[in-house]
């Protein structure tokens, strides 16, 4: 999943849809092709970029729905990370939610699960840091007790 969501996967979809259309970020090792593709899609300046983000957003929504079912996330799903705040308008256009809910018999269950976009790009790092701190404190308490 990591190669698909988001970075490398966005460019891979773009190259699959039309390998002839290339952008400046494709040429250098330091280029951020996912950013360029998503910006071009939002600006509607490249049809392949628009198609790429449409397909990627639907796949992202579908996998978010799968994860919601696996985790029984009835309290809500929080979409976080580097790309989510940058493509909020794309996430809100309905394709993400339709793909999220498109699970035949479980569609009505998923439609009732709230979806949130976390606008702080660092939230996942803060959450991981908090969990690491809590785990270290827990292990310290166990060592002192033992």
């Amino acid at each position: 999943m990591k190669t698909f969501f988001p970075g490398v996967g966005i460019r891979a979809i773009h190259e699959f849809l039309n390998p002839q259309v290339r952008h400046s970020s494709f040429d250098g090792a330091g280029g951020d092709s996912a950013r360029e593709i998503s910006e071009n899609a939002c600006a509607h300046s490249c049809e392949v970029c628009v198609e790429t983000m449409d397909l990627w957003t639907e796949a992202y929504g579908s996998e978010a729905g799968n994860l919601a079912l696996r985790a029984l996330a009835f309290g809500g799903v929080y979409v976080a990370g580097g790309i989510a705040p940058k493509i909020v308008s794309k996430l809100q256009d309905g394709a993400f939610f339709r793909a999220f809910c498109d699970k035949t018999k479980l569609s009505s269950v998923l439609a009732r699960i709230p979806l949130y976009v976390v606008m702080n790009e660092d939230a996942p790092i803060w959450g991981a840091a908090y969990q690491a701190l809590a785990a270290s404190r827990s292990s310290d308490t166990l060592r002192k007790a033992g």
Side-chain angles (χ1 to χ4, degrees):
M1 289 306 286
K2 184 159 173 58
T3 58
F4 187 72
F5 297 111
V8 179
I10 291 174
R11 179 172 168 180
I13 293 170
H14 187 284
E15 289 175 335
F16 170 79
L17 291 173
N18 191 337
Q20 310 310 315
V21 176
R22 300 192 51 80
H23 300 287
S24 59
S25 63
F26 289 21
D27 298 328
D32 189 352
S33 55
R35 177 183 299 251
E36 185 174 17
I37 292 167
S38 61
E39 287 174 356
N40 289 345
C42 289
H44 289 69
S45 62
C46 170
E47 186 57 35
V48 179
C49 292
V50 171
E51 290 175 38
T52 297
M53 291 309 295
D54 287 347
L55 182 59
W56 182 86
T57 301
E58 289 173 10
Y60 194 28
S62 180
E63 184 56 22
N66 292 339
L67 291 170
L69 288 172
R70 280 187 222 124
L72 302 174
F74 300 121
V77 171
Y78 292 80
V79 181
I83 194 164
K86 295 177 183 92
I87 62 163
V88 169
S89 61
K90 184 67 194 150
L91 295 175
Q92 292 175 328
D93 75 3
F96 182 90
F97 186 70
R98 282 189 300 277
F100 179 86
C101 295
D102 190 17
K103 307 290 183 253
T104 59
K105 294 180 180 179
L106 297 171
S107 293
S108 62
V109 172
L110 286 165
R112 292 190 306 266
I113 294 176
L115 290 170
Y116 305 97
V117 176
V118 178
M119 298 305 289
N120 182 338
E121 292 179 40
D122 296 327
I125 302 283
W126 284 107
Y130 176 81
Q131 289 298 317
L133 179 63
S136 72
R137 287 183 177 164
S138 174
S139 66
D140 286 346
T141 302
L142 289 175
R143 276 187 239 143
K144 288 176 185 174

